[in-house]
Amino acid sequence: MTEHSEEDKTQEVNELIEQRKKKLKELRDMGLDPYDQDFQAADHAADLIEKYADVDNTKLEETIIPASVAGRVVAYRNFGKASFAHIQDSSDKRIQIYLARDILKDKFPILKKLDIGDIIGVNGRMFKTRTGELTIEVNDFKILAKALRPLPEKWHGLKDVELRYRQRYLDLIVNPEVRTTFASRSKIIKAFRDFFERHGFIEVETPMMHPIPGGAAAKPFKTFHNTLGMELYLRIAPELYLKRLIVGGYERVFEINRNFRNEGISTKHNPEFTMIEFYIAYKDYNFLMSFTEELLCYVAMQAIGTLKFKYGEHDIDLTPPWRRVSFLDSFMDAGLSQENLKDTEAVAGWAKTNGIDIPKGASYAMALDEVFKERIEPKLIQPTFIIDYPVELSPLAKRKKDNPALTDRFELFITAREMANAFSELNDPIDQRGRFNDQLIDRQKGDEEAHVMDEDFLRALEFAMPPTAGEGIGIDRFVMLLTNSQSIRDVILFPQLKPQQ
RNA sequence: GCGCCACUAGCUCAACGGUAGAGCAGCGGACUCUUAAUCCGUUGGUUGAAGGUUCGAAUCCUUCGUGGCGCACCA
């Protein structure tokens, strides 16, 4: 590693940084390494608090309990011949330390060079202050990494939303609820994995770069492979690869990974988002509905310990069973009659008088879908399965036995957002080819999101795929729900932002 | 992409046409049980950028940049 000058010209000039660099030099002049490595913390703040918070001081003083902790100095109060500070460590807790000149002797003056934000390691013993706060009486300490930049304000924290996202590390240091949210996210993903593993699923990873973007209606990102000399697309869904695995003989597979969609960014949309998709052979969408209830309740219990919680204004209750309404019946709730649903003209007519814009040349199903998004979806606050979608909206789903215009498909809505999309997978290769052809026609009409013909996938189906049920669940949105987050950016560590100039 | 709002010290915010301020952080000093420590003193600004109006602009206008929210698209 090369030595860099401390007066690096590329670094912005700032008085506070200059002062800290001066302290850095002074520490070196004292023969200390401000980026020392030689410290092993035996304890974490959270463990110490858990073990000793309820023990009274006389007992702590008698037993002499050693403690060693490493972390960031987040508060510092100096009294001349003694100081108090709080250290925040990786256990997400803060513990107070007491630094007295009598005890630290000739090391005490080093504290002059200490700043809030520095990483230090301390050794000492546990005691309680007069106010009853569990504290480490430090007998030795070491600066492990000197901070050159000051932390944001201790009381108000970091509020500027742009800075919070761009400098997430600061957000994590000073806004404790952020750590809580991402701790929940981690628990949620772990709970999904546990659940699937306990149900005999194998976790797989399928390609992120697809020669043909498929498995969803969405606009893809395009990239280029130099050696192959070919265009590739970042995947919009893993669906078609996971189904190839079912053809290959796996009976239960799941994948937790990113999808990429080249579309708008909003509080509900990030260009890359995490989905879990899973496929289970010899089952159908009816099975999946109860399976989904079981799955999401398990995850909620593991992550937040309850099925009843607040989301914004709403009191959400995940207790099964969840309401099941057919796509067509759901329109009755919005005040449409059978007559209004008779044909495309009837739907378009109702839409027009109710101020909903139906694009010209829209099919019956597309017109219904527009009305659904406008009038039905916003009302689906409590968990609701909308089932039996029109075949035109579901090019990869199996037709209903008793009505070939509809499919064995459901979408799960909670807080007016689509949380899951599932169906009995279409495994008739000839029907699938026909559906792709219909999509090609839509594409030629200008629908950029219509599916693309995938001959390789069709060939796989021609080798026979067992009857299979498949489902995708938007992890980010489910994390939003369970952590009461109003923006998807609050549940993604580094959300996509415009580049800074 | 369209609309609305915001951008002032490292951070959180005032000042809304008349000398740019406070708190925290920092710096100097006092203080051995504080915890938003306290007390005394003090540094810190091209008010997002560029134009314009005006005797005078952080403030009004225009353009641009960045962000947030809403709409549209989507999961």
PDB file of all heavy atoms in Angstrom, chain A residues 400-420:
ATOM      1  N   LYS A 400     -58.436 -22.044 -16.976  1.00  0.00           N
ATOM      2  CA  LYS A 400     -59.352 -22.729 -16.073  1.00  0.00           C
ATOM      3  C   LYS A 400     -60.052 -23.840 -16.830  1.00  0.00           C
ATOM      4  O   LYS A 400     -60.451 -23.664 -17.976  1.00  0.00           O
ATOM      5  CB  LYS A 400     -60.407 -21.764 -15.527  1.00  0.00           C
ATOM      6  CG  LYS A 400     -59.869 -20.785 -14.521  1.00  0.00           C
ATOM      7  CD  LYS A 400     -60.986 -20.112 -13.743  1.00  0.00           C
ATOM      8  CE  LYS A 400     -61.485 -20.981 -12.630  1.00  0.00           C
ATOM      9  NZ  LYS A 400     -60.433 -21.263 -11.627  1.00  0.00           N
ATOM     10  N   LYS A 401     -60.245 -24.959 -16.153  1.00  0.00           N
ATOM     11  CA  LYS A 401     -60.880 -26.117 -16.797  1.00  0.00           C
ATOM     12  C   LYS A 401     -62.273 -25.774 -17.310  1.00  0.00           C
ATOM     13  O   LYS A 401     -62.653 -26.136 -18.403  1.00  0.00           O
ATOM     14  CB  LYS A 401     -60.988 -27.258 -15.779  1.00  0.00           C
ATOM     15  CG  LYS A 401     -60.005 -28.366 -16.064  1.00  0.00           C
ATOM     16  CD  LYS A 401     -60.385 -29.642 -15.350  1.00  0.00           C
ATOM     17  CE  LYS A 401     -59.426 -30.744 -15.776  1.00  0.00           C
ATOM     18  NZ  LYS A 401     -58.746 -31.350 -14.651  1.00  0.00           N
ATOM     19  N   ASP A 402     -63.048 -25.049 -16.480  1.00  0.00           N
ATOM     20  CA  ASP A 402     -64.441 -24.789 -16.831  1.00  0.00           C
ATOM     21  C   ASP A 402     -64.629 -23.490 -17.587  1.00  0.00           C
ATOM     22  O   ASP A 402     -65.748 -23.127 -17.937  1.00  0.00           O
ATOM     23  CB  ASP A 402     -65.312 -24.788 -15.559  1.00  0.00           C
ATOM     24  CG  ASP A 402     -64.786 -23.830 -14.505  1.00  0.00           C
ATOM     25  OD1 ASP A 402     -63.759 -23.146 -14.762  1.00  0.00           O
ATOM     26  OD2 ASP A 402     -65.391 -23.751 -13.423  1.00  0.00           O
ATOM     27  N   ASN A 403     -63.546 -22.731 -17.796  1.00  0.00           N
ATOM     28  CA  ASN A 403     -63.675 -21.474 -18.542  1.00  0.00           C
ATOM     29  C   ASN A 403     -62.339 -21.087 -19.155  1.00  0.00           C
ATOM     30  O   ASN A 403     -61.513 -20.443 -18.511  1.00  0.00           O
ATOM     31  CB  ASN A 403     -64.196 -20.367 -17.613  1.00  0.00           C
ATOM     32  CG  ASN A 403     -64.464 -19.078 -18.389  1.00  0.00           C
ATOM     33  OD1 ASN A 403     -64.082 -18.958 -19.563  1.00  0.00           O
ATOM     34  ND2 ASN A 403     -65.102 -18.125 -17.734  1.00  0.00           N
ATOM     35  N   PRO A 404     -62.110 -21.475 -20.408  1.00  0.00           N
ATOM     36  CA  PRO A 404     -60.792 -21.276 -21.035  1.00  0.00           C
ATOM     37  C   PRO A 404     -60.438 -19.816 -21.266  1.00  0.00           C
ATOM     38  O   PRO A 404     -59.296 -19.513 -21.639  1.00  0.00           O
ATOM     39  CB  PRO A 404     -60.909 -22.029 -22.368  1.00  0.00           C
ATOM     40  CG  PRO A 404     -62.370 -22.170 -22.620  1.00  0.00           C
ATOM     41  CD  PRO A 404     -63.064 -22.174 -21.291  1.00  0.00           C
ATOM     42  N   ALA A 405     -61.365 -18.885 -21.015  1.00  0.00           N
ATOM     43  CA  ALA A 405     -61.031 -17.458 -21.151  1.00  0.00           C
ATOM     44  C   ALA A 405     -60.334 -16.936 -19.897  1.00  0.00           C
ATOM     45  O   ALA A 405     -59.757 -15.856 -19.903  1.00  0.00           O
ATOM     46  CB  ALA A 405     -62.293 -16.642 -21.416  1.00  0.00           C
ATOM     47  N   LEU A 406     -60.421 -17.731 -18.829  1.00  0.00           N
ATOM     48  CA  LEU A 406     -59.801 -17.321 -17.558  1.00  0.00           C
ATOM     49  C   LEU A 406     -58.661 -18.268 -17.209  1.00  0.00           C
ATOM     50  O   LEU A 406     -58.538 -19.347 -17.777  1.00  0.00           O
ATOM     51  CB  LEU A 406     -60.848 -17.330 -16.427  1.00  0.00           C
ATOM     52  CG  LEU A 406     -62.041 -16.401 -16.599  1.00  0.00           C
ATOM     53  CD1 LEU A 406     -63.005 -16.558 -15.437  1.00  0.00           C
ATOM     54  CD2 LEU A 406     -61.597 -14.944 -16.723  1.00  0.00           C
ATOM     55  N   THR A 407     -57.820 -17.838 -16.234  1.00  0.00           N
ATOM     56  CA  THR A 407     -56.688 -18.672 -15.843  1.00  0.00           C
ATOM     57  C   THR A 407     -56.738 -18.978 -14.347  1.00  0.00           C
ATOM     58  O   THR A 407     -57.353 -18.249 -13.581  1.00  0.00           O
ATOM     59  CB  THR A 407     -55.357 -17.948 -16.131  1.00  0.00           C
ATOM     60  OG1 THR A 407     -55.390 -16.670 -15.485  1.00  0.00           O
ATOM     61  CG2 THR A 407     -55.143 -17.768 -17.623  1.00  0.00           C
ATOM     62  N   ASP A 408     -56.035 -20.033 -13.989  1.00  0.00           N
ATOM     63  CA  ASP A 408     -55.841 -20.405 -12.583  1.00  0.00           C
ATOM     64  C   ASP A 408     -54.748 -19.516 -12.013  1.00  0.00           C
ATOM     65  O   ASP A 408     -53.603 -19.946 -11.847  1.00  0.00           O
ATOM     66  CB  ASP A 408     -55.399 -21.875 -12.488  1.00  0.00           C
ATOM     67  CG  ASP A 408     -56.581 -22.832 -12.511  1.00  0.00           C
ATOM     68  OD1 ASP A 408     -57.741 -22.364 -12.491  1.00  0.00           O
ATOM     69  OD2 ASP A 408     -56.334 -24.048 -12.543  1.00  0.00           O
ATOM     70  N   ARG A 409     -55.110 -18.289 -11.735  1.00  0.00           N
ATOM     71  CA  ARG A 409     -54.087 -17.334 -11.279  1.00  0.00           C
ATOM     72  C   ARG A 409     -54.637 -16.486 -10.151  1.00  0.00           C
ATOM     73  O   ARG A 409     -55.845 -16.232 -10.114  1.00  0.00           O
ATOM     74  CB  ARG A 409     -53.722 -16.428 -12.457  1.00  0.00           C
ATOM     75  CG  ARG A 409     -52.790 -15.293 -12.096  1.00  0.00           C
ATOM     76  CD  ARG A 409     -52.567 -14.363 -13.275  1.00  0.00           C
ATOM     77  NE  ARG A 409     -51.768 -13.212 -12.888  1.00  0.00           N
ATOM     78  CZ  ARG A 409     -51.650 -12.109 -13.629  1.00  0.00           C
ATOM     79  NH1 ARG A 409     -52.268 -11.998 -14.796  1.00  0.00           N
ATOM     80  NH2 ARG A 409     -50.905 -11.110 -13.209  1.00  0.00           N
ATOM     81  N   PHE A 410     -53.755 -16.076  -9.243  1.00  0.00           N
ATOM     82  CA  PHE A 410     -54.170 -15.062  -8.275  1.00  0.00           C
ATOM     83  C   PHE A 410     -53.068 -14.042  -8.067  1.00  0.00           C
ATOM     84  O   PHE A 410     -51.896 -14.311  -8.313  1.00  0.00           O
ATOM     85  CB  PHE A 410     -54.558 -15.684  -6.917  1.00  0.00           C
ATOM     86  CG  PHE A 410     -53.405 -16.273  -6.124  1.00  0.00           C
ATOM     87  CD1 PHE A 410     -52.562 -15.467  -5.363  1.00  0.00           C
ATOM     88  CD2 PHE A 410     -53.180 -17.651  -6.118  1.00  0.00           C
ATOM     89  CE1 PHE A 410     -51.516 -16.019  -4.622  1.00  0.00           C
ATOM     90  CE2 PHE A 410     -52.128 -18.196  -5.382  1.00  0.00           C
ATOM     91  CZ  PHE A 410     -51.297 -17.380  -4.634  1.00  0.00           C
ATOM     92  N   GLU A 411     -53.512 -12.862  -7.654  1.00  0.00           N
ATOM     93  CA  GLU A 411     -52.574 -11.875  -7.158  1.00  0.00           C
ATOM     94  C   GLU A 411     -53.002 -11.555  -5.736  1.00  0.00           C
ATOM     95  O   GLU A 411     -54.195 -11.477  -5.436  1.00  0.00           O
ATOM     96  CB  GLU A 411     -52.597 -10.599  -8.006  1.00  0.00           C
ATOM     97  CG  GLU A 411     -52.003 -10.823  -9.387  1.00  0.00           C
ATOM     98  CD  GLU A 411     -51.633  -9.528 -10.113  1.00  0.00           C
ATOM     99  OE1 GLU A 411     -52.288  -8.491  -9.907  1.00  0.00           O
ATOM    100  OE2 GLU A 411     -50.671  -9.568 -10.888  1.00  0.00           O
ATOM    101  N   LEU A 412     -52.009 -11.378  -4.859  1.00  0.00           N
ATOM    102  CA  LEU A 412     -52.298 -11.031  -3.473  1.00  0.00           C
ATOM    103  C   LEU A 412     -52.061  -9.541  -3.286  1.00  0.00           C
ATOM    104  O   LEU A 412     -51.014  -9.022  -3.660  1.00  0.00           O
ATOM    105  CB  LEU A 412     -51.372 -11.813  -2.533  1.00  0.00           C
ATOM    106  CG  LEU A 412     -51.405 -11.367  -1.062  1.00  0.00           C
ATOM    107  CD1 LEU A 412     -52.767 -11.650  -0.433  1.00  0.00           C
ATOM    108  CD2 LEU A 412     -50.299 -12.047  -0.273  1.00  0.00           C
ATOM    109  N   PHE A 413     -53.071  -8.862  -2.743  1.00  0.00           N
ATOM    110  CA  PHE A 413     -52.942  -7.430  -2.465  1.00  0.00           C
ATOM    111  C   PHE A 413     -53.000  -7.177  -0.965  1.00  0.00           C
ATOM    112  O   PHE A 413     -53.816  -7.763  -0.260  1.00  0.00           O
ATOM    113  CB  PHE A 413     -54.072  -6.648  -3.145  1.00  0.00           C
ATOM    114  CG  PHE A 413     -53.965  -6.664  -4.644  1.00  0.00           C
ATOM    115  CD1 PHE A 413     -54.543  -7.689  -5.390  1.00  0.00           C
ATOM    116  CD2 PHE A 413     -53.271  -5.670  -5.309  1.00  0.00           C
ATOM    117  CE1 PHE A 413     -54.427  -7.713  -6.766  1.00  0.00           C
ATOM    118  CE2 PHE A 413     -53.155  -5.685  -6.690  1.00  0.00           C
ATOM    119  CZ  PHE A 413     -53.736  -6.707  -7.420  1.00  0.00           C
ATOM    120  N   ILE A 414     -52.095  -6.326  -0.486  1.00  0.00           N
ATOM    121  CA  ILE A 414     -52.145  -5.834   0.897  1.00  0.00           C
ATOM    122  C   ILE A 414     -51.756  -4.364   0.830  1.00  0.00           C
ATOM    123  O   ILE A 414     -50.834  -4.014   0.093  1.00  0.00           O
ATOM    124  CB  ILE A 414     -51.165  -6.586   1.835  1.00  0.00           C
ATOM    125  CG1 ILE A 414     -51.305  -8.109   1.692  1.00  0.00           C
ATOM    126  CG2 ILE A 414     -51.382  -6.161   3.289  1.00  0.00           C
ATOM    127  CD1 ILE A 414     -50.292  -8.922   2.498  1.00  0.00           C
ATOM    128  N   THR A 415     -52.435  -3.537   1.566  1.00  0.00           N
ATOM    129  CA  THR A 415     -52.239  -2.079   1.544  1.00  0.00           C
ATOM    130  C   THR A 415     -52.268  -1.536   0.114  1.00  0.00           C
ATOM    131  O   THR A 415     -51.455  -0.693  -0.258  1.00  0.00           O
ATOM    132  CB  THR A 415     -50.928  -1.633   2.228  1.00  0.00           C
ATOM    133  OG1 THR A 415     -49.801  -2.166   1.509  1.00  0.00           O
ATOM    134  CG2 THR A 415     -50.868  -2.082   3.663  1.00  0.00           C
ATOM    135  N   ALA A 416     -53.207  -2.040  -0.682  1.00  0.00           N
ATOM    136  CA  ALA A 416     -53.418  -1.561  -2.057  1.00  0.00           C
ATOM    137  C   ALA A 416     -52.221  -1.809  -2.965  1.00  0.00           C
ATOM    138  O   ALA A 416     -52.078  -1.157  -3.991  1.00  0.00           O
ATOM    139  CB  ALA A 416     -53.809  -0.084  -2.072  1.00  0.00           C
ATOM    140  N   ARG A 417     -51.352  -2.723  -2.538  1.00  0.00           N
ATOM    141  CA  ARG A 417     -50.191  -3.021  -3.376  1.00  0.00           C
ATOM    142  C   ARG A 417     -50.144  -4.500  -3.695  1.00  0.00           C
ATOM    143  O   ARG A 417     -50.446  -5.335  -2.845  1.00  0.00           O
ATOM    144  CB  ARG A 417     -48.902  -2.654  -2.650  1.00  0.00           C
ATOM    145  CG  ARG A 417     -48.706  -1.186  -2.646  1.00  0.00           C
ATOM    146  CD  ARG A 417     -47.515  -0.817  -1.812  1.00  0.00           C
ATOM    147  NE  ARG A 417     -47.680   0.573  -1.420  1.00  0.00           N
ATOM    148  CZ  ARG A 417     -47.197   1.103  -0.324  1.00  0.00           C
ATOM    149  NH1 ARG A 417     -46.501   0.372   0.502  1.00  0.00           N
ATOM    150  NH2 ARG A 417     -47.390   2.367  -0.064  1.00  0.00           N
ATOM    151  N   GLU A 418     -49.703  -4.796  -4.916  1.00  0.00           N
ATOM    152  CA  GLU A 418     -49.543  -6.192  -5.289  1.00  0.00           C
ATOM    153  C   GLU A 418     -48.343  -6.741  -4.528  1.00  0.00           C
ATOM    154  O   GLU A 418     -47.242  -6.237  -4.629  1.00  0.00           O
ATOM    155  CB  GLU A 418     -49.306  -6.287  -6.795  1.00  0.00           C
ATOM    156  CG  GLU A 418     -49.307  -7.707  -7.278  1.00  0.00           C
ATOM    157  CD  GLU A 418     -48.821  -7.833  -8.721  1.00  0.00           C
ATOM    158  OE1 GLU A 418     -48.971  -6.864  -9.486  1.00  0.00           O
ATOM    159  OE2 GLU A 418     -48.290  -8.891  -9.057  1.00  0.00           O
ATOM    160  N   MET A 419     -48.580  -7.798  -3.755  1.00  0.00           N
ATOM    161  CA  MET A 419     -47.495  -8.405  -2.982  1.00  0.00           C
ATOM    162  C   MET A 419     -47.036  -9.701  -3.636  1.00  0.00           C
ATOM    163  O   MET A 419     -45.888 -10.096  -3.493  1.00  0.00           O
ATOM    164  CB  MET A 419     -47.981  -8.743  -1.565  1.00  0.00           C
ATOM    165  CG  MET A 419     -48.184  -7.550  -0.695  1.00  0.00           C
ATOM    166  SD  MET A 419     -46.614  -6.856  -0.117  1.00  0.00           S
ATOM    167  CE  MET A 419     -47.216  -5.307   0.554  1.00  0.00           C
ATOM    168  N   ALA A 420     -47.948 -10.396  -4.294  1.00  0.00           N
ATOM    169  CA  ALA A 420     -47.584 -11.685  -4.875  1.00  0.00           C
ATOM    170  C   ALA A 420     -48.413 -11.917  -6.125  1.00  0.00           C
ATOM    171  O   ALA A 420     -49.516 -11.380  -6.279  1.00  0.00           O
ATOM    172  CB  ALA A 420     -47.834 -12.805  -3.873  1.00  0.00           C
TER     173      ALA A 420
END
